[in-house]
Structure formats: C-alpha cells, structure tokens
Amino acid sequence: MTIEPASDDFSLIKRIAQQDQAAMATLYDRYAPTLYAVAFQTLGSVQESEEVVLDVFAQVWRTAIRFEAAKTQVDTWLFIITRSHTLARLRTMQQTEKTSIVVEASMSSVTSDPLQDVLISERRDQIQAALAQLSAEQRQVIELAHYQGLSHSEIATQLELPLGTVKTRIRLGLHRLRIALNTWKPS
C-alpha cells in the first residue's frame, strides 16, 4: 500500500500541530526548495528568499493546528503562505529602497559650514545604521508612518495586519531607534 502524498502531507501537518519537530523537518525538506524558488522568482535575492521560507515554516509551526484539510491541500496552503510572505517582503524591500533615497536626499543638502556638513553626514550614517538594526517588520511600519505619512489604521489595512500589531511594531521600533540614536556622539 502506498501513501498518497496529499494524505502524507496532511498527517505531517497533524503531527506539526502537536509540535512534532521531526514532522516539521520532513515537511521542510519536502517543500523548502520549491518555496524558495517561488520566492526567488519574485524577489531576486537569495537572502530575502531564504527569509521568506523561514517565515513560511514559522507560520506553519504556529498555525498548523488550524489547518483544515477539507478546505485546501497542504501544498496549496504552503504556496498561499509563501505568496503572502513574498509580497510582504517585496513591499518592505521597495519601501527600504525608497526610504534610503529620501534620507539621502533630505540629508544631502550642503551647508556653507564644513563642520556642519560632516556632522550631518555622520548623523545620516547613524540614522541609516539604526534603521538597519530594526527588524524588517519594524522598519517597514516606521517607514510607512514617517516617510509616507500613513496612519496606524492605514498601515494595518495596507499590510493586512491587526492594528495592535502595527502599533506594537512602531512602538518597539521607535524605542530601539531612540536608544540607538541617543547613544550616538559626534566625533
């Protein structure tokens, strides 16, 4: 008797719902290369595609208990999750690129004071370094709020996130930025 791949996948999901790490490893080995290829096709970045795959399997680990075999197959569910994470990562990448351009443009104004130019340049580097230390999720919501002027509700709608999640990410991200920037001392 051979096991159908779909029923085997479903049994893996049931075991993952019970926090079975071996089942997770099996599902990961089975689907990670394909999900990576799907993400890479859109993102064109090895690092970002790897992050998407990790995010997908982290979500599977958290939500396997809610999987309903009557509604979809496991592979379809995995591809839907991958698409969602890939698009979110793509939006983050695009926003980060836009933010870098805005920061560069806003801080590139040359003054007549060379010392002031150096301080502005150092501060710009510090801000960019502080932003780079944030998680991609925190950076994304902060950039949407501060560079695009979106409200918390608008961000939640755009990113399809609960409002509380958006507010928490902004609060934590701003706190980390404040700490990073308050420790900055001009040379």
Side-chain angles (χ1 to χ4, degrees), residues 20-187:
D20 183 334
Q21 293 178 358
M24 182 61 137
T26 301
L27 190 72
Y28 182 90
D29 291 343
R30 184 174 295 167
Y31 286 102
T34 305
L35 300 180
Y36 170 85
V38 169
F40 187 81
Q41 185 176 10
T42 301
L43 300 173
S45 164
V46 170
Q47 181 179 355
E48 296 295 334
S49 300
E50 288 172 348
E51 289 291 327
V52 165
V53 172
L54 293 176
D55 290 345
V56 167
F57 283 98
Q59 183 173 342
V60 168
W61 184 257
R62 288 188 316 270
T63 63
I65 198 160
R66 295 192 308 259
F67 178 78
E68 296 181 37
K71 289 187 177 182
T72 189
Q73 294 181 359
V74 173
D75 59 351
T76 304
W77 182 56
L78 291 171
F79 286 115
I80 290 169
I81 295 170
T82 302
R83 180 180 180 275
S84 174
H85 283 278
T86 300
L87 293 176
R89 185 75 55 170
L90 182 62
R91 285 190 298 265
T92 300
M93 289 169 58
Q94 291 169 340
Q95 288 303 321
T96 301
E97 183 178 314
K98 286 179 187 176
T99 300
S100 294
I101 291 168
V102 169
V103 168
E104 288 290 328
S106 68
M107 302 198 83
S108 66
S109 61
V110 178
T111 66
S112 58
D113 181 3
L115 178 60
Q116 187 68 17
D117 289 344
V118 169
L119 291 175
I120 289 173
S121 177
E122 286 181 1
R123 190 62 169 170
R124 179 187 61 237
D125 294 344
Q126 181 68 18
I127 290 170
Q128 288 176 337
L131 282 169
Q133 291 175 11
L134 299 178
S135 70
E137 293 82 10
Q138 290 172 347
R139 186 172 48 252
Q140 180 183 32
V141 294
I142 288 172
E143 290 170 350
L144 288 172
H146 293 280
Y147 294 112
Q148 293 200 3
L150 298 181
S151 70
H152 294 179
S153 298
E154 291 170 330
I155 295 168
T157 301
Q158 181 174 332
L159 299 179
E160 299 176 359
L161 292 171
L163 181 59
T165 300
V166 169
K167 289 182 177 187
T168 299
R169 286 180 183 175
I170 289 174
R171 188 183 79 248
L172 293 174
L174 289 176
H175 178 72
R176 287 185 64 193
L177 282 174
R178 195 173 298 116
I179 290 169
L181 295 174
N182 282 339
T183 59
W184 178 76
K185 301 286 185 235
S187 8

